[in-house]
Amino acid sequence: MIRFILLLGCLAIINSCNTLKKTEFKKPNLVIIFTDDQGYGDLGCFGGEHVYTPNIDQMAKEGARLTSFYVAAPLCTPSRAALMTGCYPRRVSMEPPSSLIVDAPNLPTGKRFPVCLAADANGLNPDEITIAEIAKSVGYRTGIFGKWHLGDQPEFLPTRQGFEEFFGLPYSHDITPKHRRQEYFQFPPLPLLEKEEVIELDPDANYLTRRVTERAVKFIKDHKDENFFLYVPHPIPHGPLAASAEIKKEYKELLASGTKASPEIYETAIYEIDWSVGQILATLKEQGIDENTIVLFTSDNGAGRNRKKSLKPLSGGKGSTLEGGMRMPTVIRWPKHIKAGIDINQLVTTMDLLPTFAKLIGAKLPDNRIIDGKDILPVLTEGTESPHEYFFYSHWGTLEAVRWKDWKLRIIDEEEALYNLATDISEKTNLKNEHPEIVVQLKEAMKKFDAEVTKNARPSGQVENPVALTITESIHGKQKH
């Protein structure tokens, strides 16, 4: 009898172990593809008929569309700061109020421009812990190929924030002597960097997407036998719009064959981004690491507000806290664990990637600071509800809106508007008079968050005497430890 009881106990233990194994995750490779100024409707799988994006559409069929995926700001720098740190931009002082907006020497009174330009004294604080540092802490190889835009001084470059490899631009590719506000800013030539060394000035914008892609593909091949975190922040389709001669020719032939996409350079540039995604996915398959690699495609903020097709069906656009400024066309693919061909409608954000990846790869989150992102692995793999009670929308350091479940309250110049995003994604019908109790609740939530994030904000990075990066100098300085 005792032997029989012991046998049952052993079987129970074995069964328990098997059950645990079913929910374990082998450490995956991590790939984030982050485009610049691409709107919610700028993918075929998100309803865009003006674009042709077969690779990303296929990625959606093999993975999931995230239809309520948000960036934390409607502009480049604060959006990227949130992705890297898992925090609201105001938390890390990278969504500047007017006191931190750069005044150019010749800029007319009342005209301002955001931080993180050329030779900028501001940047992401080196004391912040980035998603790259989290990955690197558990042995992941890390690489960024594309646009950084979190500070161009040595102290702020991605090589000081956890990335072992960097090929790309320190800021947007329009920050050059050809800028439309050059008379005010007197921008220097655009530097192209390899790690911390300027290797080229004013690179041909037509080949930025292609060159970034080639380096990303090489990184995958070089580290196929190791765990890696690959970050591909494309400079395009931010203006000035550009595409390679090869893609222009290929796209023209597609249009001639009957494809209904628009023939404009904007759509051509997006087609090249789709080509890039195809190259990355194909390389993962060729190297035999496709099944356990998470690939997430999204954008840093919405398209310009004049691009109505790009924003459809949303309102607003870049620089706006309407949905078109901060809700992004997002696709995630992880064949082993995310069901194919599904839509995930729960509210998730770029801030969630850092804590989610940290838990997934067994890395420790810093316990000496507030992280606003949440672990969304159960949302992605089990279909659970969003862990966010509220999501807050800020612009230029000002809190303008909050989302709670399907409700969104937006307050601009004391004008209140309440929308139900489930039935009114375009934010056309103001329901504040029908639901005054929800308005009161959301105003109180905004007030509490505003006070809390102001009290607990951490400083941005600052340097004295910033200089423009040039090809005649290598960047020297103490490495971050």
Side-chain angles (χ1 to χ4, degrees):
M1 183 65 181
I2 293 175
R3 289 177 64 187
F4 179 70
I5 292 173
L6 288 173
L7 177 61
L8 288 177
C10 290
L11 289 173
I13 293 171
I14 292 171
N15 183 61
S16 175
C17 290
N18 287 336
T19 301
L20 286 172
K21 285 180 180 179
K22 290 179 183 177
T23 59
E24 287 177 355
F25 297 102
K26 179 184 176 183
K27 289 184 179 181
N29 299 310
L30 312 170
V31 180
I32 298 175
I33 303 170
F34 207 60
T35 63
D36 200 330
D37 292 5
Q38 186 167 354
Y40 193 79
D42 279 333
L43 294 177
C45 57
F46 273 75
E49 297 180 354
H50 60 294
V51 292
Y52 184 58
T53 54
N55 292 300
I56 302 172
D57 297 348
Q58 182 61 32
M59 181 180 164
K61 291 178 182 177
E62 297 173 359
R65 293 194 320 153
L66 305 183
T67 57
S68 287
F69 185 89
Y70 289 86
V71 291
L75 285 178
C76 298
T77 291
S79 175
R80 291 158 200 272
L83 170 64
M84 285 292 105
T85 65
C87 297
Y88 282 104
R90 286 179 61 192
R91 176 88 57 202
V92 293
S93 298
M94 290 298 285
E95 184 177 48
S98 58
S99 61
L100 283 180
I101 297 177
V102 177
D103 278 305
N106 304 314
L107 203 59
T109 302
K111 297 288 185 181
R112 295 178 181 272
F113 213 68
V115 296
C116 292
L117 303 177
D120 202 316
N122 302 284
L124 183 65
N125 196 315
D127 290 335
E128 291 297 336
I129 305 298
T130 69
I131 192 170
E133 289 170 302
I134 291 289
K136 192 176 178 182
S137 71
V138 289
Y140 274 59
R141 306 305 298 266
T142 57
I144 168 177
F145 306 99
K147 167 184 157 179
W148 176 236
H149 214 170
L150 292 173
D152 72 326
Q153 297 304 287
E155 295 85 347
F156 305 138
L157 291 176
T159 45
R160 308 295 180 93
Q161 294 283 12
F163 287 101
E164 298 168 302
E165 297 185 35
F166 171 43
F167 170 83
L169 308 176
Y171 38 72
S172 297
H173 68 289
D174 66 330
I175 300 178
T176 75
K178 295 181 180 180
H179 194 281
R180 61 190 176 91
R181 292 186 176 130
Q182 178 64 1
E183 62 181 298
Y184 306 138
F185 289 100
Q186 300 170 9
F187 288 136
L190 177 67
L192 178 69
L193 277 71
E194 179 74 55
K195 292 188 176 179
E196 298 189 355
E197 184 176 356
V198 179
I199 60 171
E200 196 175 322
L201 291 175
D202 290 329
D204 185 350
N206 292 306
Y207 282 87
L208 287 175
T209 299
R210 188 166 289 263
R211 294 177 73 179
V212 163
T213 304
E214 289 169 351
R215 291 301 300 270
V217 165
K218 182 179 184 300
F219 179 85
I220 293 170
K221 291 179 178 179
D222 288 346
H223 302 296
K224 64 180 184 297
D225 297 322
E226 307 168 86
N227 282 126
F228 60 78
F229 167 49
L230 170 61
Y231 177 41
V232 188
H234 282 292
I236 303 291
H238 188 294
L241 291 163
S244 67
E246 294 86 344
I247 283 294
K248 288 177 181 176
K249 179 182 177 182
E250 183 178 315
Y251 191 63
K252 187 176 181 180
E253 292 172 352
L254 279 168
L255 292 172
S257 69
T259 301
K260 295 181 180 180
S262 169
E264 304 301 322
I265 184 62
Y266 183 82
E267 287 77 12
T268 308
I270 288 178
Y271 178 68
E272 186 153 39
I273 286 170
D274 182 80
W275 165 86
S276 175
V277 173
Q279 293 293 303
I280 290 170
L281 293 174
T283 302
L284 293 171
K285 290 181 180 180
E286 290 165 2
Q287 302 304 314
I289 54 177
D290 162 72
E291 286 293 305
N292 200 37
T293 297
I294 298 175
V295 181
L296 182 136
F297 175 94
T298 193
S299 177
D300 68 340
N301 51 248
R305 283 180 251 187
N306 62 323
R307 296 192 180 279
K308 301 302 182 184
K309 290 181 180 179
S310 299
L311 297 166
K312 191 176 179 181
L314 309 181
S315 295
K318 181 176 181 176
S320 169
T321 51
L322 289 166
E323 292 295 283
M326 295 174 60
R327 188 191 288 218
M328 296 296 101
T330 306
V331 177
I332 189 168
R333 183 181 184 276
W334 188 18
K336 280 194 171 183
H337 300 290
I338 294 178
K339 292 179 181 178
I342 64 171
D343 283 354
I344 296 175
N345 300 314
Q346 295 296 318
L347 191 160
V348 289
T349 82
T350 52
M351 297 181 291
D352 301 327
L353 299 179
L354 184 148
T356 302
F357 286 172
K359 184 173 183 180
L360 190 54
I361 67 180
K364 183 180 179 181
L365 282 175
D367 56 9
N368 62 347
R369 65 196 64 200
I370 296 172
I371 303 294
D372 295 299
K374 310 291 184 183
D375 174 20
I376 58 169
L377 188 62
V379 178
L380 301 176
T381 61
E382 301 171 23
T384 63
E385 293 186 358
S386 171
H388 293 278
E389 182 177 14
Y390 297 106
F391 173 72
F392 299 95
Y393 306 65
S394 290
H395 184 42
W396 293 132
T398 300
L399 181 60
E400 293 186 353
V402 61
R403 177 173 171 177
W404 170 69
K405 297 183 179 179
D406 291 327
W407 293 101
K408 178 179 178 180
L409 177 69
R410 189 166 182 260
I411 306 176
I412 305 294
D413 297 329
E414 299 185 359
E415 289 293 321
E416 301 171 358
L418 180 69
Y419 305 109
N420 187 312
L421 297 177
T423 58
D424 181 24
I425 195 172
S426 301
E427 296 170 281
K428 299 298 185 184
T429 305
N430 187 352
L431 300 174
K432 70 171 186 176
N433 294 329
E434 288 86 341
H435 300 278
E437 74 288 354
I438 296 178
V439 173
V440 170
Q441 175 189 335
L442 297 190
K443 286 177 69 174
E444 183 63 22
M446 290 176 71
K447 181 180 178 181
K448 287 182 179 179
F449 174 77
D450 205 29
E452 186 280 321
V453 78
T454 300
K455 177 183 177 181
N456 295 306
R458 306 190 288 270
S460 63
Q462 302 283 317
V463 298
E464 295 181 0
N465 305 314
V467 297
L469 305 184
T470 73
I471 203 168
T472 59
E473 300 178 26
S474 290
I475 301 169
H476 299 286
K478 293 182 180 180
Q479 294 288 328
K480 179 182 175 184
H481 296 284

